[in-house]
């Protein structure tokens, strides 16, 4: 009886048509089953060219039949349409597009507490208000907050295809990695397990016909963030910072992380830029002034907007109704979020 290793070695000789690399190293072999002498191989392809599966089939049949002890061979192809041209380029770099999603924007920050989740959820609301179909995914395993910001404790369910179905709220599709963890399990989801979990998770959500998916990344530039930016075909990233020097230094690291893996930086959002005092109408620059603008210029990326500190930004988040739902005439923060969404649309 042949071993799985025998089959793998044989498949390692099957070239992807037009490339010098083999189908195994391209990650196209999804499973190998061996029953006595019979072999079933599942392959996954993203192509519209009917010659590709035909040529792979011919080569694979030849090499597998030549393995000593092999009887019947069956090759099952799961053939999908290739994503748009940008995503196809990303796929060649080994990045996976997310099914059901046209555009993926990541929201990152160099450190926690700068308002990244606040910005991610309000951007999602503002993009949705501009007529797009929007999803929001909280990728922070250790401190998920999106469910709280939309005031839901609903749990997603699994459909018949074992996909996780996002929660629908205020016209948005919401998902949080934290939804899937028991109360105290994040402690054990560490390092490589967390990384694998993140990768698997992002591919298993049944997003439905989204124009844009906003990914709220965990704060910082560690393993999990790197995995996401390396393995998901991101269309762009926005970096959230406060005007404070220390936050800007960390924001620089986040920008560098995205640039290293060729994810375009759509811009910087400066949060907590100033406090507009209701009694004297003055703007108080509590965390410093002009830092975001200077940093954006230095990095050669746009400054997408400056969000003021407003009591109702936090209050609305705590009530489960992000501020971007508010009439922009009544909230400067809401107005700026809408302005940013129009730039990103
Ligand atoms: P992060 O995701 O970067 O850790 P959060 O989005 O959780 O940060 O924000 C931290 C806290 O600051 C939250 O309580 C949030 O409501 C509050 N906050 C964020 N941005 C603002 C703002 N512009 N005005 C007032 N409060 C804000």
């Amino acid at each position: 009886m042949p071993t799985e290793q025998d089959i793998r070695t044989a498949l390692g000789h099957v070239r992807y048509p037009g490339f010098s690399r083999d189908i195994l190293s391209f990650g196209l072999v999804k499973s190998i089953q061996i029953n006595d002498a019979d072999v079933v191989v599942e392959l996954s392809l993203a192509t519209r060219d009917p010659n590709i599966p035909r040529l792979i089939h011919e080569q694979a049949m030849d090499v597998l039949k030549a393995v000593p002890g092999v009887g019947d061979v069956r090759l099952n192809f799961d053939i999908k349409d290739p994503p748009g041209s940008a995503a196809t380029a990303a796929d060649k770099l080994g990045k996976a597009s997310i099914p059901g999603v046209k555009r993926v924007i990541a929201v990152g920050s160099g450190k926690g507490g700068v308002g990244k989740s606040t910005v991610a959820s309000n951007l999602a609301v503002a993009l949705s208000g501009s007529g797009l179909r929007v999803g929001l995914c909280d990728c922070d395993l250790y401190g998920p907050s999106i469910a709280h910001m939309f005031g839901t404790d609903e749990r997603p369910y699994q459909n018949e295809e074992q996909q996780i179905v996002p929660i629908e709220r205020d016209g948005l599709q919401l998902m949080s990695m934290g939804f899937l963890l028991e109360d105290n399990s994040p402690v054990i989801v560490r390092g490589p397990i967390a990384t694998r979990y993140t990768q698997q998770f992002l591919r298993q959500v049944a997003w439905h016909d989204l124009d844009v998916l906003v990914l709220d990344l965990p704060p910082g530039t560690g393993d999990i963030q790197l995995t996401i930016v390396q393995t998901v075909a991101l269309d762009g990233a926005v970096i959230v910072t406060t005007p404070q020097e220390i936050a800007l230094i960390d924001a620089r690291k986040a920008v560098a992380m995205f640039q290293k893996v060729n994810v375009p930086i759509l811009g910087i959002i400066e949060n907590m830029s100033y406090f507009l005092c209701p009694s004297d109408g003055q703007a108080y620059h509590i965390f410093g002034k002009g830092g975001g603008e200077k940093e954006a210029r230095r990095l050669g990326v746009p400054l997408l907007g400056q969000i003021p500190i407003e009591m109702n930004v936090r209050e609305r988040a705590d009530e489960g109704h992000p501020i971007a739902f508010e009439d922009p005439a009544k909230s400067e923060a809401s107005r700026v979020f809408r302005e940013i969404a129009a730039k990103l649309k």
Side-chain angles (χ1 to χ4, degrees), residues 111-173:
K111 69 186 204 88
V114 296
K116 176 187 48 57
S117 297
T118 304
V119 169
S121 43
N122 279 293
L123 265 189
V125 167
L127 283 164
S128 161
S130 76
L132 300 182
R133 290 179 57 87
V134 181
L136 174 62
C137 185
D138 186 345
C139 302
D140 194 347
L141 267 177
Y142 305 110
S145 49
I146 295 299
H148 167 73
M149 289 200 197
F150 284 85
T152 176
D153 53 11
E154 209 180 312
R155 299 263 137 184
Y157 66 92
Q158 268 198 348
N159 66 16
E160 283 158 13
E161 281 115 50
Q162 306 299 308
Q163 292 171 307
I164 317 152
V165 179
I167 289 164
E168 297 255 354
R169 191 95 183 163
D170 300 316
L172 287 111
Q173 294 174 37

Side-chain angles (χ1 to χ4, degrees), residues 112-118 149 271-272 307-310 313-314 317:
V114 296
K116 176 187 48 57
S117 297
T118 304
M149 289 200 197
N271 187 31
M272 309 193 195
I307 322 262
I309 300 169
E310 268 178 26
V313 169
R314 189 207 36 85

